[in-house]
Amino acid sequence: MTPEELALLLADSDVRQVFAAVTLGAATSTEILAAAGLTGQQAAPAIGKLLRAGLLRMDGPGRLALAGETLAGAAATAARRQEERAVADQPDPGLRGFVRGNVVVRLPEEDGARRTVLRHVAGQSFTPDERYDERIVTDRLRPWCTDGVLDAVTLRRLLVDAGLLNRSAGWYVLVASEEEPVGR
């Protein structure tokens, strides 16, 4: 079962009510009807759909149980797809979860990871030994902040505070170090 099939199945309120009742421990038709608050005419088709989909299984005569392996399979598929999207959005594992495309979506709390993200932004935005005025710096950083967690002014300050941009007499210069090469 795919995550989409699961979502479509559970979009039906009767199916969702039966599923919830069995998940919470109802096993017989009497228990399911009482817990779900449904009539037999409402619950029977819902039970049939859940059995055919593999979300419920027979657990003895007249007893139903949740088929956890089906849910686990849908969850594994969703997790795999999410990881594939994350890798496609950001192939560099050091930036994954923090930079999506060219937007900083989250700033790491740990100093080393934070420096990696800031170093990436600086290296992609500026050229070593080239001077930039404040307006140009802010304009170059603005795309990194589109629908992200930072604004361009804060990002500029973070780059200066991290020693990645040097500010002097109104001009900014990318600081390049041999230990931390700046990629472009």
Side-chain angles (χ1 to χ4, degrees):
M1 167 168 283
T2 67
E4 295 83 5
E5 291 168 335
L6 177 63
L8 287 171
L9 183 63
L10 294 178
D12 179 320
S13 64
D14 290 348
V15 170
R16 195 171 49 253
Q17 290 295 103
V18 169
F19 180 76
V22 175
T23 299
L24 293 174
T28 66
S29 57
T30 303
E31 293 170 342
I32 292 169
L33 293 175
L38 299 173
T39 66
Q41 289 178 329
Q42 293 169 307
I47 290 169
K49 288 177 184 179
L50 288 164
L51 284 166
R52 283 188 300 279
L55 283 173
L56 295 183
R57 61 177 167 72
M58 296 305 297
D59 192 35
R63 298 185 60 80
L64 294 171
L66 183 65
E69 61 279 0
T70 303
L71 281 176
T77 298
R80 186 182 68 253
R81 287 180 185 173
Q82 189 173 23
E83 179 62 22
E84 289 168 356
R85 279 192 300 273
V87 169
D89 285 345
Q90 183 49 259
D92 184 337
L95 300 174
R96 199 168 300 140
F98 305 113
V99 177
R100 187 171 302 127
N102 286 326
V103 175
V104 177
V105 294
R106 189 165 69 91
L107 202 57
E109 292 182 24
E110 191 268 316
D111 287 337
R114 179 181 290 242
R115 185 160 182 84
T116 298
V117 169
L118 293 174
R119 189 86 182 138
H120 175 75
V121 170
Q124 294 297 309
S125 303
F126 307 104
T127 303
D129 301 323
E130 192 170 320
R131 292 174 16 146
Y132 304 91
D133 68 24
E134 187 169 273
R135 184 184 56 77
I136 296 293
V137 171
T138 303
D139 287 347
R140 288 194 176 197
L141 295 176
R142 193 167 281 117
W144 291 98
C145 303
T146 305
D147 297 326
V149 295
L150 300 171
D151 60 74
V153 172
T154 301
L155 183 53
R156 186 184 71 224
R157 286 186 190 130
L158 288 168
L159 292 170
V160 170
D161 291 347
L164 298 169
L165 279 183
N166 185 18
R167 179 179 57 206
S168 178
W171 292 96
Y172 293 78
V173 177
L174 178 64
V175 177
S177 108
E178 291 181 27
E179 295 172 2
E180 297 181 53
V182 176
R184 187 125 167 100

